[in-house]
Amino acid sequence: MQTQSSTKTSAGEQRQQYISVELRQWIVAQAQAGVSPETVLEAMKASGWQEEVAIKALEETLRGHLTEQAQSAVPQTHEPQPVPVPDAPISDSPSKIRVLDRDVTVLMSMKLPRVIVFSGFMSEQECDQVVALAGPRMARSETVDNLTGGSEVNVARTSRGMFFERGETGVIDRVERRIAALLNWPVQNGEGLQVLHYKPGAEYKPHYDYFDPVHPGSASILKRGGQRVGTLLMYLNTPKKGGGTTFPDVGLEVAPVKGNAVFFSYDRAHVNTKSLHGGAPVIEGEKWVATKWLREREFV
Ligand code: PD2
Ligand code: ZN
């Protein structure tokens, strides 16, 4: 789903801006993290989006998202056939798994929903590196702010999410290879790593990570590599209070601890996977996480 908008710049030349799937995902992530549409609009304008295009992208995306939420409140009837999913080699209950360059500890696992919690998945240094790389990108509008002279824009408070390209830097590439090795799933099937930053009060309301096939926007998203079948959520810091990852169907809450990761899979786009999950409000401190979504096939 890629909408193209054509606008005129002040110089009068024709300029085209694309509303990509990534931008839509980012807008939804901002909304779910509690960032107001006005704030998101300011961030988009500051990073070079024409106001009318930005408003259109926001309206379309949030309207679509609300429809999706309303539809997910309706009991699902059609249950798709299960497909193969990523998984870690824990059938013989190892306490540690050697994953390329690291020993990763298995803290807990459950079958339904399929959830595995790992400790020491990333080193402290890797977490800090990813936050350091992501931070300026979230604040990218500061640079553009200089260009536009829009001093009223407070970038640091607005930009809360970003995506890396797959294999974009050394540390991103290393972490992605580790994910692929741990979960026995090709690197190519992974979406670019997403980083989210939550401040106190911000949360990510319970949702499913798969795309609901009944949603009109899903068809084009699914063309890029099929369904999402698994999520690895990596905690890049430890909030003082709150910010756990919840699985409301089974009353599970995973504590966000720096370097740890929670994996969950869903072999069909259906509530029976019990993969409903959310990010609980941060109560004190802040929260940084990186999300890797895994697709059925190569993500292009
Ligand atoms: O930040 C989280 O805890 C969280 C919770 C639910 C992140 C996601 N979902 C996600 O990135 O999909
Ligand atoms: Zn999620």
Coordinates of all heavy atoms in Angstrom, one line a residue, residues 18 24 136 152 173 181 211 280 298:
Y18 N 5.7 10.0 -1.2 CA 5.1 8.7 -1.1 C 4.8 8.4 0.4 O 5.6 8.6 1.2 CB 6.0 7.6 -1.6 CG 6.2 7.8 -3.1 CD1 7.3 8.5 -3.6 CD2 5.4 7.1 -4.0 CE1 7.5 8.6 -5.0 CE2 5.6 7.3 -5.4 CZ 6.6 8.0 -5.9 OH 6.8 8.1 -7.2
R24 N 3.1 4.6 7.4 CA 1.8 4.2 8.1 C 2.1 3.5 9.4 O 1.4 3.8 10.4 CB 1.0 3.4 7.1 CG 0.5 4.1 6.0 CD -0.3 3.2 5.1 NE -0.6 3.8 3.8 CZ -1.5 4.7 3.5 NH1 -2.4 5.0 4.4 NH2 -1.6 5.2 2.3
P136 N 19.2 10.0 17.2 CA 19.2 11.2 16.3 C 18.2 11.1 15.2 O 17.7 12.1 14.7 CB 20.7 11.1 15.8 CG 21.4 10.2 16.6 CD 20.5 9.3 17.3
E152 N 9.1 26.6 16.5 CA 8.1 26.2 17.4 C 8.0 24.6 17.5 O 7.4 24.1 18.4 CB 6.7 26.7 17.0 CG 6.1 26.1 15.8 CD 6.7 26.7 14.5 OE1 7.7 27.4 14.6 OE2 6.1 26.5 13.4
D173 N 23.2 -5.4 11.8 CA 23.4 -6.6 11.1 C 23.7 -7.8 12.0 O 23.1 -8.9 11.9 CB 24.6 -6.4 10.1 CG 24.8 -7.6 9.2 OD1 23.8 -7.9 8.5 OD2 25.9 -8.2 9.2
A181 N 19.5 -16.8 13.6 CA 20.1 -18.1 14.1 C 19.3 -18.6 15.3 O 19.0 -19.8 15.3 CB 21.5 -17.8 14.5
F211 N -1.4 -9.1 10.2 CA -2.3 -8.2 9.5 C -3.6 -8.9 9.3 O -3.6 -10.1 8.8 CB -1.7 -7.8 8.1 CG -0.3 -7.2 8.3 CD1 0.8 -7.9 7.9 CD2 -0.2 -5.9 8.7 CE1 2.1 -7.4 8.1 CE2 1.1 -5.3 8.9 CZ 2.2 -6.1 8.5
A280 N 2.5 -2.2 28.5 CA 1.9 -1.5 29.6 C 2.5 -0.1 29.8 O 3.6 0.2 29.4 CB 2.1 -2.3 30.9
E298 N 10.4 -13.9 2.1 CA 11.4 -12.8 2.0 C 10.6 -11.5 2.0 O 9.6 -11.3 1.2 CB 12.2 -12.9 0.7 CG 13.2 -11.8 0.6 CD 14.2 -11.9 -0.5 OE1 14.1 -12.9 -1.3 OE2 15.1 -11.1 -0.7

